[in-house]
Amino acid sequence: MTATSAKKQQAELVEVRNLVKYFPIENSDDVVRAVDDVSFEILAGETLGLVGESGCGKSTVGRCLIRLHEPTSGEVFFEGRDVIGLSHSEMRSLRREMQIIFQDPYASLNPRFSILSIVSEPLKIHGVSNKQECKDRVGELLSKVGLDPKYMHRYPHEFSGGQRQRIGIARALALNPKLIICDEPVSALDVSVQAQVVNLLQDLQAELGLTYLFISHGLAVVEHISNRVAVMYLGKIVEIADATELYDRPLHPYTKALLSAIPEPDPTKKHVRMILKGDVPTPIDPPSGCRFRTRCPYAVEECSSAVPDLKEYSSGHLAACIRIGEFN
């Protein structure tokens, strides 16, 4: 991908090159092509939104970045360090800098552990064993995410979903990371609570200088929090742009369809939906050529053989479609 001059002035915290993750199918020679040749970068201090339908590979990308899934091939660099080439002990050390907030606040907290144990566990793993230091740090973190430090002796079942997600955020902050993978952190929450958690994440980013990869299928949430947005479809990135640019002037047909599905709150405004035909193909046997062609209203015969590359059409705005310019 071509880097713009504006990007060059900012430091790249993460660079992903040709990332591939295939999952083998038991008793079969086939594989699930969850992530197939994905490349992007995340700049220090920014939020990169990663959007797409369920099953497109968004969460797998995030987990490969911190090696919760081992990539099949490709390269991941964090501050210039080759993440995939690190040993187990080196990776453990690097995880102080890279943390994750999981999607389900009910499944991601051990019900047998108190909040003190849950939030202090990263501290203990990385060498902070003094009980009073751990307790003080947990109290500080709970205050930072908007919870009373006195809650640290309670258990997860005593909290609401939004409060549990705040605890998950506190755990992710324990080691002062630089990068946090936000894996659909608000999708399981009520809409009003979603706004509170998103605002909290923005406040923490401003205060602590955090960098986010914000994974979501909620495009309205992504627009609110992201500096740039990458759109995924069936294991591939089809468009990347500045958030304002992408929402105002989408280039790829899939991005157009996603944006047209966002409800229009003003009943006086005309809102035309772009309805996609058919279902998402299986990642076990994706379509040849452009993977979106089986549902694309602009597909032509050439789309079945030509594999579109991400090309830059304006400053920092990249898309993968051989027909861009014909229907925009």
Side-chain angles (χ1 to χ4, degrees), residues 168-190:
I169 294 170
R171 177 176 58 186
L173 293 173
L175 297 169
N176 295 313
K178 295 179 180 177
L179 172 71
I180 296 182
I181 310 296
C182 303
D183 187 7
E184 305 212 34
V186 298
S187 63
L189 307 177
D190 294 338

Side-chain angles (χ1 to χ4, degrees), residues 190-326:
D190 294 338
V191 174
S192 60
V193 180
Q194 287 184 11
Q196 295 172 15
V197 172
V198 168
N199 290 336
L200 171 63
L201 290 171
Q202 289 182 306
D203 291 342
L204 292 170
Q205 184 176 42
E207 178 184 350
L208 303 174
L210 298 169
T211 301
Y212 294 144
L213 174 63
F214 192 91
I215 299 166
S216 179
H217 58 259
L219 275 80
V221 175
V222 170
E223 181 182 19
H224 181 70
I225 196 173
S226 300
N227 302 105
R228 291 187 302 127
V229 178
V231 181
M232 280 193 74
Y233 181 80
L234 206 60
K236 288 185 175 290
I237 290 180
V238 298
E239 188 164 1
I240 303 177
D242 175 84
T244 302
E245 168 80 5
L246 184 129
Y247 281 78
D248 289 347
R249 196 173 67 88
L251 295 180
H252 197 280
Y254 180 60
T255 308
K256 291 174 181 286
L258 290 180
L259 293 177
S260 76
I262 299 176
E264 173 54 63
D266 187 348
T268 63
K269 290 185 178 180
K270 186 177 180 180
H271 185 65
V272 180
R273 283 287 310 275
M274 180 176 171
I275 307 297
L276 298 178
K277 58 185 180 182
D279 297 321
V280 180
T282 172
I284 299 173
D285 184 24
S288 61
C290 174
R291 293 190 174 184
F292 185 59
R293 67 176 175 81
T294 57
R295 305 175 71 198
C296 180
Y298 308 110
V300 294
E301 185 176 350
E302 187 182 353
C303 296
S304 64
S305 57
V307 179
D309 295 322
L310 272 175
K311 294 182 179 179
E312 189 168 39
Y313 290 89
S314 62
S315 180
H317 195 160
L318 299 90
C321 176
I322 63 171
R323 296 201 65 202
I324 287 177
E326 298 180 39

Side-chain angles (χ1 to χ4, degrees), residues 71-233:
T72 302
S73 64
E75 298 175 298
V76 177
F77 295 94
F78 181 84
E79 293 187 318
R81 299 179 64 185
D82 180 5
V83 174
I84 297 175
L86 296 179
S87 66
H88 179 75
S89 60
E90 290 172 329
M91 192 63 217
R92 170 177 281 197
S93 176
L94 184 62
R95 284 206 175 105
R96 295 178 67 101
E97 311 287 343
M98 310 164 71
Q99 291 291 310
I100 185 169
I101 301 168
F102 294 99
Q103 176 179 358
D104 187 353
Y106 292 89
S108 61
L109 304 181
N110 192 324
R112 298 187 178 186
F113 283 11
S114 69
I115 303 312
L116 173 60
S117 297
I118 289 170
V119 179
S120 65
E121 189 172 14
L123 300 171
K124 295 173 182 176
I125 289 173
H126 289 274
V128 180
S129 56
N130 183 286
K131 288 186 178 180
Q132 189 58 48
E133 288 181 10
C134 285
K135 189 174 180 179
D136 291 344
R137 178 60 174 160
V138 171
E140 177 190 344
L141 290 166
L142 291 180
S143 295
K144 199 175 287 291
V145 299
L147 296 175
D148 193 323
K150 292 185 292 187
Y151 293 170
M152 71 173 69
H153 299 294
R154 297 184 182 181
Y155 288 80
H157 73 272
E158 300 178 74
F159 296 89
S160 67
Q163 289 174 321
R164 290 184 188 211
Q165 198 60 293
R166 289 173 185 265
I167 294 165
I169 294 170
R171 177 176 58 186
L173 293 173
L175 297 169
N176 295 313
K178 295 179 180 177
L179 172 71
I180 296 182
I181 310 296
C182 303
D183 187 7
E184 305 212 34
V186 298
S187 63
L189 307 177
D190 294 338
V191 174
S192 60
V193 180
Q194 287 184 11
Q196 295 172 15
V197 172
V198 168
N199 290 336
L200 171 63
L201 290 171
Q202 289 182 306
D203 291 342
L204 292 170
Q205 184 176 42
E207 178 184 350
L208 303 174
L210 298 169
T211 301
Y212 294 144
L213 174 63
F214 192 91
I215 299 166
S216 179
H217 58 259
L219 275 80
V221 175
V222 170
E223 181 182 19
H224 181 70
I225 196 173
S226 300
N227 302 105
R228 291 187 302 127
V229 178
V231 181
M232 280 193 74
Y233 181 80

